[in-house]
Amino acid sequence: ATGRGERMEIGTYIEKSLESELSGNVIDVCPVGALTSRPFRFKARAWELQQHAAVAPHDSIGSNVYVHTRRGRVMRVVPREFEEVNEVWLSDRDRFSYEGLYSEDRVTAPMVKINGEWQTVDWETALEATVNGMRSLIHQHGADQVGVLVSPTATLEEMSLLQAVARGIGVKNIDHRLRQADFTDQAEAPLCPSLGVSLEALERVDAALVIGGNPRKDQPIAGHRLRKAAIAGAKVMFVNPVDFEVLFDVHASSIVPPSRMAEALAGIAAALTTAAPADAIKHVIAAASPDENQRVIAAALKKAENAVLLLGNIAVMHPQYSLIRALADVIADATGATLGMLPEAANTVGGWLAGVLPHRGPAGAALSSAGMNAREMLEQPREGYLLFGADPAHDCSNPAQAGKAVADAEFVVSIAAFASEALRNSADILLPIGPFTETSGTFVNAEGRWQSFAGVASPVGESRPGWKVLRVLGNQFGLDGFEQTGSEQVRDALRATLGEMAFDNHQAAGPVASVTPGSGLERVGDVAIHAIDPLVRRAGALQRTPDAEVAGKVRMNAAQAETSGVSGAAQVKVS
């Protein structure tokens, strides 16, 4: 018995777990402890460990975990029971990513590049160099020549202070939506993206349509909830550019090239006689010819009493995201379904609330003028960049373009726990901060739940909590409002500004991306689950799994590879 009202033979459970992104949970269900974690094996004895409550830092679920430390060093991570969020389960990514905490390219001391050579300096010298460099850059080129790129895994407190620093020195170009490619309708966007329902409610729906997403891998706990719904009889359906493997019966799916995803959604909308699209997308729906699969999807959503539409990572990264979102909104309205989002990262939602956006301040406050979004900052390279937890060559929608833009910049400051070789070549100053285990902070998950945690591990070298570095940086710039003595003060101030939040993904009609027909081969721009952030990219156990698709690896349908004449090739050139 699993304790969830289900029964399963243990052999079947192990087999199904090993097929899923929850395979590490087999360790937890072993009644005698014979199944152990290979990365942890022989590293420490249980009685040597201290247990600390924490929150997983990778996807937008916010799974509750226990971090086990020995003498201040993280030794393993295990699930912490929380029925409303992750029950008793944990994704492999959340369980094993701790291996990356102590990687060789961890930044352990402040560093300044002098005459092309890195020199280790004290914090006072590094912060002074940062302030002087930024002031000089702004004096010479103007504040609009500075871009601030923020990782969506940063804490709410770090994000709140960073946007205050940026705006305090006149910089408007700030964004955490690093992998988003289409910002056409950002002015009409709601306060923040959200799931629209509770995580628990996902397993009680009787129909679900996932648009541009693979929850089984991208948000495994949400995928687990949807699988439970499907087993209970729900009709789970997909509109995707890839026919991803799922561990349940799919009611219907529309698998199309990326350029035809909007067309597929238009077909579903056209099959709904009650659809009432805005003027901007009327012609798209009018031109659609629904196929049988799209009619089946439309009928299932219309018939359902409790349906949900979920926009996933691929949808948000799509160059026609605004059009896809608008079509999803029409379908939701016509069927009475809830429109939900499956945000990519641990604090994607928090970034919106904290105002790490070029067009809105904290709590969605209107700004007198907007800055550049993440894509614009890199398509139109700035003279300087402030990077917080982000590695542009890996974390942006166009990594090659982003890496070049930063490499060509006159002045680059990186505030992060890690620095890849490319980042070290591009940056002028490295300020080391602690990852989630070495700082206090808050993540806001997909359902809008605020979850705070404390630092549980000893800092590595001269690393400092990111919020403290930003608070001191604000003081160094001579800005007001940087007197906090604890991260809780930053969190509470933002919560007071927000007041009672109403999460609703519907938005006013606005401009949308144009329909761009594709021809020939098309790139499917998803991101491997073990490459989504700096920590998982450095976790050895995760990088040895089949899900660790490394940069430079091409995946292609076997029949297409044969047609293209590359089925037997070890290397191919893609342009």
Side-chain angles (χ1 to χ4, degrees):
T2 66
R4 308 272 82 78
E6 305 165 351
R7 290 187 177 274
M8 185 183 295
E9 293 296 325
I10 188 64
T12 303
Y13 175 80
I14 291 175
E15 179 183 358
K16 291 297 181 185
S17 294
L18 291 174
E19 291 175 356
S20 76
E21 181 51 23
L22 301 173
S23 59
N25 293 282
V26 176
I27 299 164
D28 301 322
V29 301
C30 181
V32 296
L35 297 176
T36 59
S37 162
R38 182 177 294 176
F40 173 71
R41 194 177 299 165
F42 310 128
K43 298 292 176 61
R45 300 185 183 277
W47 56 84
E48 298 177 313
L49 303 177
Q50 289 184 299
Q51 180 169 275
H52 313 272
V55 179
H58 302 298
D59 61 36
S60 57
I61 301 303
S63 295
N64 283 223
V65 301
Y66 283 120
V67 176
H68 291 169
T69 63
R70 183 181 65 175
R71 295 191 288 275
R73 186 179 177 92
V74 177
M75 304 304 294
R76 68 177 174 184
V77 174
V78 299
R80 174 162 56 106
E81 183 174 0
F82 190 8
E83 198 69 24
E84 296 175 24
V85 177
N86 56 299
E87 300 176 294
V88 296
W89 312 119
L90 196 61
S91 72
D92 290 351
R93 182 169 55 204
D94 291 335
R95 184 187 295 268
F96 296 117
S97 68
Y98 74 89
E99 281 195 306
L101 291 170
Y102 306 108
S103 67
E104 292 182 357
D105 60 356
R106 178 78 188 262
V107 185
T108 59
M111 303 186 77
V112 176
K113 190 178 288 182
I114 301 175
N115 297 325
E117 298 293 330
W118 283 111
Q119 293 189 15
T120 300
V121 298
D122 57 35
W123 269 103
E124 183 177 356
T125 301
L127 290 172
E128 183 179 356
T130 299
V131 172
N132 291 339
M134 278 294 170
R135 282 177 172 164
S136 175
L137 187 73
I138 291 172
H139 177 73
Q140 292 181 42
H141 304 288
D144 67 325
Q145 281 297 319
V146 178
V148 181
L149 300 172
V150 186
S151 169
T153 63
T155 67
L156 193 68
E157 293 79 359
E158 291 166 341
M159 289 178 165
S160 183
L161 289 173
L162 181 56
Q163 66 82 30
V165 170
R167 294 190 164 106
I169 61 175
V171 176
K172 300 177 182 179
N173 307 326
I174 178 170
D175 212 341
H176 73 290
R177 302 165 296 171
L178 305 186
R179 291 198 175 105
Q180 187 169 325
D182 176 23
F183 300 88
T184 306
D185 64 346
Q186 69 174 7
E188 289 75 30
L191 176 65
C192 64
S194 68
L195 189 59
V197 297
S198 69
L199 284 162
E200 285 184 298
L202 282 183
E203 62 189 67
R204 296 193 294 270
V205 301
D206 46 21
L209 174 61
V210 178
I211 302 167
N214 182 16
R216 178 190 165 205
K217 297 291 186 178
D218 295 333
Q219 298 91 9
I221 298 299
H224 164 66
R225 299 274 193 182
L226 287 174
R227 179 175 183 270
K228 291 172 74 173
I231 291 173
K235 296 175 179 178
V236 182
M237 301 161 287
F238 295 86
V239 174
N240 265 330
V242 176
D243 193 8
F244 296 112
E245 182 184 19
V246 296
L247 303 179
F248 54 81
D249 292 332
V250 175
H251 179 66
S253 59
S254 184
I255 308 302
V256 295
S259 65
R260 292 182 56 198
M261 283 183 61
E263 179 184 327
L265 291 175
I268 296 170
L272 296 164
T273 56
T274 54
D279 290 341
I281 59 173
K282 276 184 178 178
H283 67 287
V284 180
I285 297 176
S289 299
D291 62 21
E292 182 60 28
N293 285 331
Q294 291 156 13
R295 292 184 185 279
V296 170
I297 292 172
L301 291 173
K302 188 68 176 178
K303 184 178 179 181
E305 295 182 2
N306 181 14
V308 63
L309 272 68
L310 299 173
L311 291 166
N313 292 8
I314 294 173
V316 176
M317 297 174 192
H318 199 286
Q320 297 171 347
Y321 169 55
S322 57
L323 177 58
I324 288 172
R325 194 220 56 76
L327 289 165
D329 209 343
V330 169
I331 296 169
D333 280 342
T335 59
T338 298
L339 179 61
M341 304 286 297
L342 284 168
E344 174 196 20
N347 215 19
T348 297
V349 177
W352 283 80
L353 299 179
V356 183
L357 301 163
H359 65 298
R360 290 182 189 166
L367 301 176
S368 58
S369 60
M372 288 182 164
N373 58 52
R375 179 178 176 177
E376 291 170 333
M377 285 184 240
L378 298 166
E379 284 184 342
Q380 305 167 47
R382 303 292 88 189
E383 293 291 341
Y385 292 95
L386 174 58
L387 311 174
F388 193 92
D391 188 339
H394 296 279
D395 296 326
C396 295
S397 61
N398 188 331
Q401 180 189 71
K404 185 178 188 306
V406 173
D408 292 343
E410 181 179 319
F411 184 66
V412 177
V413 177
S414 173
I415 307 176
F418 309 97
S420 64
E421 182 178 355
L423 191 55
R424 288 176 187 268
N425 290 336
S426 303
D428 298 282
I429 297 176
L430 298 176
L431 302 180
I433 60 173
F436 80 107
T437 51
E438 297 170 27
T439 186
S440 58
T442 304
F443 293 142
V444 184
N445 77 350
E447 58 184 353
R449 185 187 298 270
W450 293 44
Q451 298 189 105
S452 298
F453 50 90
V456 300
S458 300
V460 173
E462 295 296 315
S463 298
R464 297 289 183 269
W467 73 267
K468 288 187 177 182
V469 173
L470 293 168
R471 183 202 62 196
V472 175
L473 200 57
N475 290 327
Q476 295 276 13
F477 275 115
L479 305 176
D480 295 330
F482 291 86
E483 297 80 28
Q484 299 87 353
T485 57
S487 63
E488 299 82 3
Q489 293 172 278
V490 184
R491 176 200 63 198
D492 294 345
L494 179 59
R495 187 183 281 278
T497 303
L498 282 160
E500 292 296 324
M501 296 178 296
F503 292 104
D504 184 358
N505 290 303
H506 292 283
Q507 64 187 57
V512 296
S514 59
V515 178
T516 307
S519 61
L521 294 179
E522 297 183 25
R523 171 180 173 265
V524 179
D526 60 338
V527 178
I529 65 171
H530 296 159
I532 63 165
D533 62 53
L535 189 56
V536 296
R537 290 195 293 267
R538 291 165 171 82
L542 296 179
Q543 295 307 314
R544 291 190 290 272
T545 67
D547 285 314
E549 300 287 353
V550 297
K553 186 171 183 178
V554 177
R555 293 173 292 168
M556 182 182 286
N557 176 278
Q560 181 61 56
E562 186 71 31
T563 301
S564 299
V566 297
S567 59
Q571 292 183 324
V572 295
K573 181 177 180 180
V574 180
S575 59

